[in-house]
Amino acid sequence: MLFNSIDFAIFLPIVFVLYWFVFKKNMKLQNALIVVSSYVFYGWWDYRFLALIMFSTFIDYTVGQQLRKTKHQSKRKSLLWFSVLVNIGLLGFFKYYNFFIDNFTTAFSFLGSEIQANSLNIILPVGISFYTFQTLSYTIDVYKRKLEPTKDILAFAAFVSFFPQLVAGPIERATNLLPQFFKKRQFNYSQAVDGLRQILWGLFKKIVIADNCAFFVNTIFDGYSNYSASTLLLGAMFFAFQIYGDFSGYSDIAIGTSKLFGFNLKQNFAFPYFSRNIGEFWRRWHISLSTWFRDYVYVPLGGSKGSKWNQIRNVFIIFLISGFWHGANWTFIVWGFLNALYFLPLLLLNKNRKYTNVVAEHSFLPSIKETGMMLITFLLTTLGWIFFRSENITHALDYVSRLFNFSMFSIPQVRPTFLIILIGLFLIIEWCGRRQLYAIEILWLKHPKVLRWFIYYVIVMVIFLYGGKEQEFIYFQF
Amino acid sequence: MKLFLRQSGAFILLFGISCYVVFSMADGTTDAFYLKFTTSRQTSLIVGSSRAAQGVIPSILEAEGLDYGLYNYGFTIAHTAYGKAYYESIEKKLKKKENHAMFLVCVNPWTISSMTENPEDSLNFREHGSFIKNTHFVNMKPNIEYLIESYDRLNIDIITNKSRKGDYQTFFTHDNGWLEVTIESDMISTKERTLNKIKSYKEKLKKYSGISQNRLRYLKKTIELLKNHGQVFLVRLPVNDDMLYLEDKLMPDFNMKMDTLSQYYQIQYFNAMPFRKQYNYTDGHHLDIASGKAFSKYLAKQLKN
């Protein structure tokens, strides 16, 4: 079920009413409702893969119980590895099997020996990369004794399958989300209104910005050989806004929906295009995944401790894995590699943690230097997005090579004025709200109710009138 | 909670009313198809692809004495090649149990062929993902189902298209279903459009795998359905020489097939192809407005005889 579909618009109020009116007195029943509705939400897409979620839930719940009982370190380690292997095994099979088979076959054919290996017609289960990482974080935290394993399988199942963030995150840590399933939930008017506001902004980002950009991105990327360099640059920039609007929009809807049910999820995007360098960008982009990799891969590898070489190695490992996590395609690996390269000078000059505050924190406008830095960071990430969006490496390289010629100074052949205006307005609102968790969190709250409602009404109508055609969320494929 | 529900309810209601107002503004400028799903069930129909949608004008037929109230329910070859989807849509649009009715079934080789690798692979016919399959309500105004599910432009266009009529807006669907297309008619533009169209159809020809028995079966079913309610005529609209050449390549025995159908069902087949040089085309296979009027006049005379 898509957040931007009529199905969800019907599903959400039904679950909301059942949750707060029918089951409000019993927390366990509320958790059961969350599990059932999450399975319906997921099964709407393909019910066959529900078994996979249930299996993953069962494995990590059982491993958690065993870890509770076991004192022996070696046995605890075996249990941890069992969970890791099962979860990564499932992910590997569904997501990477064909990639490895195809690449092995190609590699062997280069060496002169032909091997017969058949790729399979595997459907990638939606959200597998997300819920697999979520359950893994539980087992690892239990293993590290950061978290008490839960005995309540219903609460655990609700934690794994919680529908707002099931298919595309934010990847929640058990330490944050799981305890919330044991707290009695009371309806909170402010929290619910805040949730609706965040859903509204998420829908705007997804339907108005991302879906409209998608149309032009597809046109330009599919027929890139017919376009001037300036058009190709515009196409890449549109993709930068598409992926941001798409994914951060999804996160906002997920977080907002959770608030309607009394849950608080972590912030997943913190205005990444207002970053002054790549280090800052990666602290603001897909925060739940970056911190997951930081805590469960980067730090165990030694992190920023040890020799410079070790630090460089760790940075490259983390970016390459992150790229590969996004998809079984060399384009994602190159994208990860490119970002590691961008990051390298910051690491070598010890400037990777230079900007931890919000840009222009105490002023309305950024300085010229800050503006320049944000622009450069944006252009660098845009260059990376070309690899992310392209069908294959040849496509990406050809696209990039066509950017560097004199047609860069010509007027783009594709000029959707309405979209450029919308993106401009969007950036202004995002800039005004950059100190908050999402752009319109407290924006206009000081204004009279009538005016505030009028502004929300305008946003809703802009979504209705300028909304692009319903598109799947990009991150569903990861 | 009560306050929250009351406020959200009021907001949703306000939004719902606003949507309804915008949808109510949709008309013949909205897109080339919308209006056809808003009129009531019809007793007499013109069915076929875009050639029929543009080239057969109900008002001219009526002016020439065919007082059947013919309604043009033709779309495009991408949507209304004969098949299950179009058949079901026609069935929904048809006002049954009428005796004084006339049906013009416009045919050409593309309407009974398929681009699928296997021409009988009806599940993958390209109209299956389109509005002709997905629009269940074909006589609802405003047609909210169509506008939500199938309208492939921004909703703001419903409003702005009204003021663009005849300017950027090159099409207009009339209340009788006729699709009026106004595009530049100077020699250079027409020549360029025709060259491009022929080129694209040459490419298409490579993808077409010849006659689809499934489509032919549905053409027969369509004739049978309509024949129960009135007089049915098979009509082949004219095209230019280059397009005819391609159609002959696709299906050399097309006229023979139509003759066979006409004999079997005891209906008349009007093949206007021999008179093709009398007409002008916007792109080689769509009649321009003046020629559409002339052709409709000619057709009316033939039908009256």
Side-chain angles (χ1 to χ4, degrees):
Chain A
M1 206 180 288
L2 295 174
F3 281 162
N4 53 332
S5 67
I6 302 279
D7 301 338
F8 186 72
I10 296 167
F11 169 85
L12 183 62
I14 293 173
V15 180
F16 181 85
V17 168
L18 289 174
Y19 186 83
W20 289 116
F21 288 97
V22 183
F23 299 137
K24 70 170 180 180
K25 284 182 182 154
N26 190 322
M27 198 177 65
K28 279 200 180 293
L29 279 178
Q30 281 184 324
N31 288 345
L33 177 70
I34 286 175
V35 175
V36 171
S37 41
S38 297
Y39 287 172
V40 170
F41 177 85
Y42 191 84
W44 212 258
W45 169 71
D46 193 331
Y47 62 89
R48 290 170 301 174
F49 291 115
L50 276 174
L52 218 55
I53 296 181
M54 291 176 192
F55 179 68
S56 198
T57 307
F58 174 74
I59 290 292
D60 285 283
Y61 173 78
T62 313
V63 167
Q65 293 309 303
Q66 293 304 314
L67 282 172
R68 174 206 298 279
K69 292 174 195 162
T70 312
K71 295 275 186 282
H72 295 289
Q73 190 54 25
S74 60
K75 201 175 173 193
R76 288 176 63 81
K77 207 167 219 170
S78 306
L79 283 165
L80 173 70
W81 276 107
F82 173 72
S83 166
V84 170
L85 287 175
V86 169
N87 282 301
I88 298 294
L90 285 175
L91 187 60
F93 175 74
F94 282 101
K95 195 166 176 175
Y96 301 107
Y97 176 85
N98 283 341
F99 175 80
F100 282 118
I101 288 291
D102 292 345
N103 279 283
F104 275 129
T105 326
T106 313
F108 273 99
S109 70
F110 270 125
L111 296 170
S113 56
E114 293 293 329
I115 56 163
Q116 284 287 323
N118 295 327
S119 51
L120 301 174
N121 189 16
I122 300 170
I123 303 170
L124 179 67
V126 164
I128 189 168
S129 309
F130 291 90
Y131 67 76
T132 300
F133 271 40
Q134 190 155 308
T135 51
L136 266 179
S137 83
Y138 166 80
T139 310
I140 297 171
D141 285 350
V142 169
Y143 170 78
K144 289 184 171 175
R145 299 184 205 281
K146 285 183 183 170
L147 181 76
E148 268 295 302
T150 176
K151 287 179 183 171
D152 185 344
I153 191 162
L154 202 60
F156 185 70
F159 157 72
V160 176
S161 65
F162 190 40
F163 74 86
Q165 44 88 247
L166 172 62
V167 289
I171 302 165
E172 278 297 319
R173 299 299 176 78
T175 43
N176 175 50
L177 184 57
L178 191 55
Q180 295 185 50
F181 286 98
F182 300 112
K183 278 187 196 153
K184 187 160 170 57
R185 278 144 255 163
Q186 290 255 306
F187 180 79
N188 181 319
Y189 174 83
S190 306
Q191 190 187 29
V193 170
D194 185 37
L196 283 184
R197 220 172 10 243
Q198 193 158 5
I199 291 173
L200 177 66
W201 192 238
L203 286 172
F204 178 85
K205 286 196 222 176
K206 166 63 182 160
I207 297 174
V208 178
I209 301 299
D211 288 353
N212 278 309
C213 282
F215 175 78
F216 296 100
V217 168
N218 294 343
T219 308
I220 295 170
F221 271 78
D222 292 349
Y224 71 101
S225 55
N226 304 319
Y227 292 114
S228 64
S230 55
T231 314
L232 296 185
L233 179 65
L234 194 66
M237 285 179 169
F238 279 154
F239 182 66
F241 286 107
Q242 182 195 346
I243 193 153
Y244 174 60
D246 192 285
F247 195 19
S248 73
Y250 183 93
S251 297
D252 280 338
I253 302 168
I255 297 167
T257 306
S258 304
K259 285 177 185 170
L260 289 179
F261 294 92
F263 289 87
N264 281 310
L265 303 184
K266 296 265 184 193
Q267 187 186 22
N268 210 18
F269 287 84
F271 312 96
Y273 289 149
F274 299 142
S275 301
R276 286 151 289 185
N277 64 30
I278 286 295
E280 187 183 5
F281 176 84
W282 280 106
R283 281 191 296 279
R284 295 177 174 278
W285 181 274
H286 201 176
I287 299 165
S288 64
L289 181 72
S290 308
T291 50
W292 197 99
F293 278 125
R294 183 196 65 200
D295 295 346
Y296 300 116
V297 184
Y298 184 68
V299 171
L301 281 171
S304 51
K305 289 176 186 148
S307 68
K308 258 305 177 233
W309 280 115
N310 277 348
Q311 289 178 31
I312 293 169
R313 181 203 64 184
N314 295 344
V315 163
F316 272 86
I317 287 174
I318 224 69
F319 274 109
L320 289 174
I321 295 177
S322 171
F324 200 44
W325 177 89
H326 283 85
N329 193 328
W330 285 101
T331 50
F332 295 116
I333 297 172
V334 172
W335 171 73
F337 181 77
L338 203 57
N339 276 286
L341 278 184
Y342 293 160
F343 194 81
L344 196 57
L346 299 175
L347 182 73
L348 293 174
L349 298 169
N350 283 326
K351 287 187 173 176
N352 50 323
R353 296 202 62 81
K354 189 174 175 189
Y355 299 111
T356 49
N357 62 343
V358 176
V359 63
E361 197 168 14
H362 304 295
S363 59
F364 181 69
L365 291 174
S367 66
I368 293 172
K369 187 185 167 194
E370 283 171 331
T371 310
M373 290 168 83
M374 284 191 289
L375 209 60
I376 290 168
T377 309
F378 177 71
L379 286 174
L380 285 173
T381 46
T382 300
L383 187 68
W385 290 134
I386 294 173
F387 286 86
F388 197 94
R389 170 60 180 77
S390 297
E391 302 296 323
N392 51 52
I393 294 291
T394 318
H395 182 196
L397 290 175
D398 201 17
Y399 193 106
V400 172
S401 69
R402 285 169 190 270
L403 282 172
F404 299 99
N405 63 52
F406 285 110
S407 65
M408 178 58 82
F409 304 102
S410 63
I411 296 171
Q413 291 141 295
V414 178
R415 297 185 298 274
T417 317
F418 85 95
L419 181 57
I420 293 168
I421 293 171
L422 283 171
I423 290 175
L425 286 172
F426 167 66
L427 282 176
I428 291 170
I429 295 174
E430 286 266 297
W431 177 260
C432 294
R434 70 190 182 283
R435 296 182 187 89
Q436 318 307 325
L437 291 172
Y438 61 96
I440 62 166
E441 187 183 10
I442 58 162
L443 217 57
W444 309 305
L445 279 189
K446 285 178 187 164
H447 290 87
K449 204 172 202 171
V450 177
L451 182 64
R452 214 165 58 230
W453 271 53
F454 176 72
I455 293 168
Y456 298 147
Y457 175 74
V458 169
I459 296 177
V460 168
M461 286 313 287
V462 168
I463 293 172
F464 172 67
L465 293 172
Y466 288 94
K469 282 298 122 184
E470 182 183 306
Q471 310 249 359
E472 266 210 354
F473 287 87
I474 296 175
Y475 268 67
F476 275 24
Q477 61 189 292
F478 307 139
Chain B
M1 176 63 100
K2 274 183 189 164
L3 179 66
F4 177 78
L5 288 179
R6 218 170 32 235
Q7 288 184 340
S8 330
F11 198 84
I12 290 167
L13 187 68
L14 181 66
F15 173 60
I17 292 169
S18 307
C19 294
Y20 189 83
V21 169
V22 173
F23 284 154
S24 300
M25 294 165 88
D27 60 12
T29 61
T30 300
D31 70 8
F33 319 116
Y34 170 73
L35 204 70
K36 301 190 186 206
F37 295 117
T38 61
T39 47
S40 57
R41 285 171 179 264
Q42 301 292 323
T43 51
S44 297
L45 292 170
I46 299 159
V47 297
S49 60
S50 55
R51 285 182 199 173
Q54 294 178 41
V56 187
I57 308 169
S59 58
I60 302 282
L61 298 174
E62 198 153 340
E64 291 297 314
L66 294 178
D67 59 341
Y68 293 92
L70 274 155
Y71 186 83
N72 196 321
Y73 200 58
F75 294 86
T76 77
I77 191 64
H79 309 103
T80 54
Y82 293 101
K84 191 169 188 273
Y86 194 26
Y87 174 82
E88 287 175 355
S89 190
I90 292 170
E91 203 176 21
K92 282 179 217 155
K93 193 71 186 174
L94 187 63
K95 190 174 182 180
K96 293 169 186 166
K97 293 175 187 164
E98 294 285 336
N99 295 322
H100 183 66
M102 177 183 269
F103 303 100
L104 306 184
V105 178
C106 300
V107 287
N108 62 59
W110 312 99
T111 59
I112 52 168
S113 315
S114 166
M115 280 172 108
T116 48
E117 208 172 312
N118 170 6
E120 307 314 318
D121 181 11
S122 59
L123 285 177
N124 285 314
F125 283 169
R126 58 181 172 156
E127 68 267 25
H128 270 238
S130 80
F131 61 78
I132 204 72
K133 170 91 179 160
N134 299 334
T135 308
H136 302 95
F137 302 98
V138 298
N139 46 10
M140 184 167 80
K141 193 175 182 183
N143 195 322
I144 293 168
E145 183 197 28
Y146 177 89
L147 291 170
I148 289 177
E149 293 289 327
S150 304
Y151 187 50
D152 62 1
R153 297 167 176 227
L154 302 180
N155 287 329
I156 188 77
D157 289 341
I158 294 172
I159 303 166
T160 55
N161 279 359
K162 286 171 179 291
S163 56
R164 285 172 165 177
K165 193 183 161 194
D167 193 358
Y168 295 102
Q169 188 76 350
T170 56
F171 62 82
F172 177 70
T173 311
H174 289 257
D175 289 341
N176 55 21
W178 174 48
L179 176 65
E180 182 182 357
V181 176
T182 44
I183 40 179
E184 289 166 289
S185 56
D186 62 282
M187 286 297 282
I188 299 168
S189 309
T190 307
K191 200 175 170 187
E192 196 180 329
R193 268 197 311 271
T194 306
L195 281 172
N196 287 336
K197 187 60 81 176
I198 298 297
K199 196 176 155 194
S200 78
Y201 266 80
K202 273 183 186 165
E203 287 303 309
K204 266 186 197 168
L205 188 62
K206 291 177 195 165
K207 293 177 190 162
Y208 272 88
S209 45
I211 189 161
S212 159
Q213 292 303 329
N214 181 289
R215 290 211 185 280
L216 186 62
R217 199 162 52 247
Y218 270 99
L219 171 60
K220 288 176 186 171
K221 277 187 82 167
T222 306
I223 294 169
E224 285 162 15
L225 168 74
L226 300 176
K227 223 176 156 247
N228 288 332
H229 304 283
Q231 279 181 284
V232 178
F233 298 90
L234 283 174
V235 179
R236 185 179 189 185
L237 277 89
V239 293
N240 78 356
D241 288 350
D242 292 332
M243 187 59 81
L244 178 61
Y245 173 76
L246 295 178
E247 294 190 357
D248 284 344
K249 260 184 116 171
L250 173 66
M251 214 175 286
D253 58 347
F254 178 74
N255 284 330
M256 267 168 57
K257 281 187 171 37
M258 293 305 111
D259 284 333
T260 313
L261 279 185
S262 130
Q263 281 165 18
Y264 183 80
Y265 288 108
Q266 296 289 300
I267 56 176
Q268 274 187 284
Y269 171 44
F270 288 109
N271 177 13
M273 216 49 97
F275 315 108
R276 64 186 176 281
K277 291 196 194 302
Q278 296 173 14
Y279 303 107
N280 295 318
Y281 308 90
T282 57
D283 55 3
H285 80 133
H286 292 110
L287 291 166
D288 67 17
I289 295 174
S291 290
K293 287 177 179 170
F295 173 73
S296 300
K297 244 180 196 178
Y298 159 79
L299 187 62
K301 277 181 191 146
Q302 295 298 312
L303 295 173
K304 277 199 293 186
N305 292 333

